[in-house]
PDB file of all heavy atoms in Angstrom:
ATOM      1  N   GLU A  34      32.288 154.530 -46.150  1.00  0.00           N
ATOM      2  CA  GLU A  34      31.566 155.394 -47.375  1.00  0.00           C
ATOM      3  C   GLU A  34      32.769 156.067 -48.000  1.00  0.00           C
ATOM      4  O   GLU A  34      32.565 157.326 -48.232  1.00  0.00           O
ATOM      5  CB  GLU A  34      30.466 156.214 -46.892  1.00  0.00           C
ATOM      6  CG  GLU A  34      29.384 155.440 -46.341  1.00  0.00           C
ATOM      7  CD  GLU A  34      28.203 156.230 -45.905  1.00  0.00           C
ATOM      8  OE1 GLU A  34      28.212 157.512 -45.888  1.00  0.00           O
ATOM      9  OE2 GLU A  34      27.075 155.638 -45.488  1.00  0.00           O
ATOM     10  N   ARG A  35      33.743 155.464 -48.466  1.00  0.00           N
ATOM     11  CA  ARG A  35      34.908 156.169 -49.107  1.00  0.00           C
ATOM     12  C   ARG A  35      34.858 156.060 -50.611  1.00  0.00           C
ATOM     13  O   ARG A  35      35.282 156.882 -51.285  1.00  0.00           O
ATOM     14  CB  ARG A  35      36.208 155.555 -48.718  1.00  0.00           C
ATOM     15  CG  ARG A  35      36.465 155.961 -47.145  1.00  0.00           C
ATOM     16  CD  ARG A  35      37.848 155.230 -46.772  1.00  0.00           C
ATOM     17  NE  ARG A  35      38.100 155.420 -45.290  1.00  0.00           N
ATOM     18  CZ  ARG A  35      38.807 156.399 -44.854  1.00  0.00           C
ATOM     19  NH1 ARG A  35      39.543 157.171 -45.651  1.00  0.00           N
ATOM     20  NH2 ARG A  35      39.010 156.458 -43.541  1.00  0.00           N
ATOM     21  N   LEU A  36      34.283 155.070 -51.119  1.00  0.00           N
ATOM     22  CA  LEU A  36      34.190 154.836 -52.670  1.00  0.00           C
ATOM     23  C   LEU A  36      32.690 155.039 -53.038  1.00  0.00           C
ATOM     24  O   LEU A  36      31.861 154.084 -52.935  1.00  0.00           O
ATOM     25  CB  LEU A  36      34.639 153.428 -52.942  1.00  0.00           C
ATOM     26  CG  LEU A  36      34.686 153.057 -54.368  1.00  0.00           C
ATOM     27  CD1 LEU A  36      35.572 154.017 -55.231  1.00  0.00           C
ATOM     28  CD2 LEU A  36      35.172 151.691 -54.629  1.00  0.00           C
ATOM     29  N   ASN A  37      32.430 156.176 -53.767  1.00  0.00           N
ATOM     30  CA  ASN A  37      31.076 156.409 -54.192  1.00  0.00           C
ATOM     31  C   ASN A  37      30.948 155.504 -55.622  1.00  0.00           C
ATOM     32  O   ASN A  37      31.639 155.932 -56.613  1.00  0.00           O
ATOM     33  CB  ASN A  37      30.899 157.869 -54.531  1.00  0.00           C
ATOM     34  CG  ASN A  37      29.448 158.219 -54.912  1.00  0.00           C
ATOM     35  OD1 ASN A  37      28.601 157.497 -55.134  1.00  0.00           O
ATOM     36  ND2 ASN A  37      29.308 159.536 -55.084  1.00  0.00           N
ATOM     37  N   LEU A  38      29.938 154.606 -55.550  1.00  0.00           N
ATOM     38  CA  LEU A  38      29.817 153.784 -56.881  1.00  0.00           C
ATOM     39  C   LEU A  38      28.663 154.336 -57.699  1.00  0.00           C
ATOM     40  O   LEU A  38      28.231 153.700 -58.611  1.00  0.00           O
ATOM     41  CB  LEU A  38      29.326 152.454 -56.203  1.00  0.00           C
ATOM     42  CG  LEU A  38      30.446 151.716 -55.434  1.00  0.00           C
ATOM     43  CD1 LEU A  38      29.955 150.524 -54.818  1.00  0.00           C
ATOM     44  CD2 LEU A  38      31.744 151.504 -56.232  1.00  0.00           C
ATOM     45  N   ALA A  39      28.149 155.590 -57.390  1.00  0.00           N
ATOM     46  CA  ALA A  39      26.921 156.072 -58.230  1.00  0.00           C
ATOM     47  C   ALA A  39      27.140 156.178 -59.734  1.00  0.00           C
ATOM     48  O   ALA A  39      26.309 155.851 -60.431  1.00  0.00           O
ATOM     49  CB  ALA A  39      26.581 157.517 -57.625  1.00  0.00           C
ATOM     50  N   LYS A  40      28.362 156.471 -60.073  1.00  0.00           N
ATOM     51  CA  LYS A  40      28.734 156.635 -61.644  1.00  0.00           C
ATOM     52  C   LYS A  40      28.880 155.238 -62.235  1.00  0.00           C
ATOM     53  O   LYS A  40      28.363 154.969 -63.326  1.00  0.00           O
ATOM     54  CB  LYS A  40      29.961 157.363 -61.817  1.00  0.00           C
ATOM     55  CG  LYS A  40      29.735 158.878 -61.639  1.00  0.00           C
ATOM     56  CD  LYS A  40      30.916 159.729 -61.971  1.00  0.00           C
ATOM     57  CE  LYS A  40      30.698 161.282 -61.562  1.00  0.00           C
ATOM     58  NZ  LYS A  40      31.934 161.977 -61.910  1.00  0.00           N
ATOM     59  N   LYS A  41      29.479 154.385 -61.417  1.00  0.00           N
ATOM     60  CA  LYS A  41      29.697 152.866 -61.946  1.00  0.00           C
ATOM     61  C   LYS A  41      28.467 152.147 -61.982  1.00  0.00           C
ATOM     62  O   LYS A  41      28.190 151.425 -62.981  1.00  0.00           O
ATOM     63  CB  LYS A  41      30.731 152.232 -60.975  1.00  0.00           C
ATOM     64  CG  LYS A  41      31.119 150.907 -61.489  1.00  0.00           C
ATOM     65  CD  LYS A  41      32.133 150.252 -60.474  1.00  0.00           C
ATOM     66  CE  LYS A  41      32.446 148.821 -61.031  1.00  0.00           C
ATOM     67  NZ  LYS A  41      33.509 148.227 -60.161  1.00  0.00           N
ATOM     68  N   HIS A  42      27.554 152.428 -61.061  1.00  0.00           N
ATOM     69  CA  HIS A  42      26.085 151.795 -61.201  1.00  0.00           C
ATOM     70  C   HIS A  42      25.072 152.838 -61.274  1.00  0.00           C
ATOM     71  O   HIS A  42      24.171 152.959 -60.381  1.00  0.00           O
ATOM     72  CB  HIS A  42      26.006 151.023 -59.754  1.00  0.00           C
ATOM     73  CG  HIS A  42      27.056 149.890 -59.705  1.00  0.00           C
ATOM     74  ND1 HIS A  42      27.003 148.633 -60.350  1.00  0.00           N
ATOM     75  CD2 HIS A  42      28.227 149.764 -58.856  1.00  0.00           C
ATOM     76  CE1 HIS A  42      28.142 148.040 -59.977  1.00  0.00           C
ATOM     77  NE2 HIS A  42      28.835 148.571 -59.134  1.00  0.00           N
ATOM     78  N   ALA A  43      25.081 153.560 -62.324  1.00  0.00           N
ATOM     79  CA  ALA A  43      24.285 154.767 -62.549  1.00  0.00           C
ATOM     80  C   ALA A  43      22.737 154.423 -62.454  1.00  0.00           C
ATOM     81  O   ALA A  43      21.911 155.152 -61.879  1.00  0.00           O
ATOM     82  CB  ALA A  43      24.560 155.428 -63.778  1.00  0.00           C
ATOM     83  N   ALA A  44      22.473 153.194 -63.180  1.00  0.00           N
ATOM     84  CA  ALA A  44      20.987 152.904 -63.243  1.00  0.00           C
ATOM     85  C   ALA A  44      20.486 152.455 -61.880  1.00  0.00           C
ATOM     86  O   ALA A  44      19.248 152.923 -61.363  1.00  0.00           O
ATOM     87  CB  ALA A  44      20.838 151.624 -64.099  1.00  0.00           C
ATOM     88  N   GLN A  45      21.294 151.778 -61.065  1.00  0.00           N
ATOM     89  CA  GLN A  45      20.816 151.430 -59.594  1.00  0.00           C
ATOM     90  C   GLN A  45      20.735 152.738 -58.809  1.00  0.00           C
ATOM     91  O   GLN A  45      19.764 152.951 -57.973  1.00  0.00           O
ATOM     92  CB  GLN A  45      21.750 150.463 -59.069  1.00  0.00           C
ATOM     93  CG  GLN A  45      21.334 149.936 -57.695  1.00  0.00           C
ATOM     94  CD  GLN A  45      22.163 148.802 -57.049  1.00  0.00           C
ATOM     95  OE1 GLN A  45      23.297 148.560 -57.484  1.00  0.00           O
ATOM     96  NE2 GLN A  45      21.727 148.211 -56.031  1.00  0.00           N
TER      97      GLN A  45
END
Side-chain angles (χ1 to χ4, degrees):
E34 298 180 353
R35 294 175 181 262
L36 180 60
N37 185 357
L38 300 170
K40 288 183 181 177
K41 184 175 181 180
H42 300 284
Q45 183 176 12

